Amino acid sequence: GRNAGRPLPSRSAHIYRIFLIIKMKGYTLLETLVYVSILAVIAVLALGSILSIYQAYGKTKVERKLAQNADVALERMVREIRAATTTDIGISVFGSSPGTLKIGNTTFAVSADTLQVKEGGGVFQNLTASDVKVNSLIFYRATASESEIIKIEMALETGSGLFKKSRNFFGSAVMRGIY
């Protein structure tokens, strides 16, 4: 037969050959555990990095929304104040929140936590986004013999849960139409 003239393999050689066959067909339990452990560590590190990036993106997005809404609102109010010649003291509310400012034909007020503007006899229009809450709006007025200054303090809030953010904003302007 096949083994004619060859000596029979020893028991240890036979076991070694079986081990090699098993080794070529798959992994041992110990190797599998080591590979799974390494994969788990890599997965945890990757997930941690992804969550950090997500949190940074969410916080940046909320901060940007606050800044954009404040910039638009303050820029509009300051521009209108500078162009105005009169302040309607009867309608305007100074020193408390929610403040109201009527200068010339333009009125700024808070309604349903949203800053709104009304020009002339028109209707109020939103100046801040509906998902940005105006927590506080205070106007201060100071006058001198030839000038009048309006100071604005505004607190805005947006986001929810982990990404909820509130921030204060300030502005002021001298009514240039007076002098």
Side-chain angles (χ1 to χ4, degrees), residues 70-85:
D71 286 346
V72 166
L74 285 173
E75 189 273 326
R76 175 73 186 274
M77 288 187 283
V78 166
R79 185 182 44 183
E80 294 291 338
I81 292 168
R82 284 184 180 147
T85 57

Side-chain angles (χ1 to χ4, degrees), residues 76-170:
R76 175 73 186 274
M77 288 187 283
V78 166
R79 185 182 44 183
E80 294 291 338
I81 292 168
R82 284 184 180 147
T85 57
T86 61
T87 304
D88 189 333
I89 299 171
I91 294 176
S92 297
V93 176
F94 296 104
S96 65
S97 183
T100 300
L101 180 65
K102 182 163 190 274
I103 45 176
N105 289 328
T106 306
T107 306
F108 295 96
V110 175
S111 177
D113 296 328
T114 303
L115 178 59
Q116 297 182 326
V117 61
K118 179 172 84 167
E119 295 183 85
V123 297
F124 277 100
Q125 297 177 347
N126 291 346
L127 203 51
T128 56
S130 60
D131 60 342
V132 174
K133 179 181 176 186
V134 178
N135 286 336
S136 173
L137 178 65
I138 304 173
F139 296 103
Y140 297 97
R141 177 179 176 256
T143 59
S145 60
E146 296 289 324
S147 65
E148 183 175 341
I149 186 170
I150 305 292
K151 180 182 174 193
I152 307 161
E153 291 182 9
M154 180 172 58
L156 300 180
E157 178 181 294
T158 192
S160 62
L162 180 64
F163 302 118
K164 189 172 189 174
K165 178 82 173 167
S166 180
R167 199 166 133 200
N168 296 326
F169 299 91
F170 304 92

Side-chain angles (χ1 to χ4, degrees), residues 49-70:
S49 297
I50 290 169
L51 287 176
S52 293
I53 291 169
Y54 171 72
Q55 286 179 342
Y57 172 74
K59 288 178 182 179
T60 301
K61 184 177 176 184
V62 167
E63 188 66 37
R64 186 174 60 238
K65 182 179 274 298
L66 277 177
Q68 285 176 338
N69 276 269

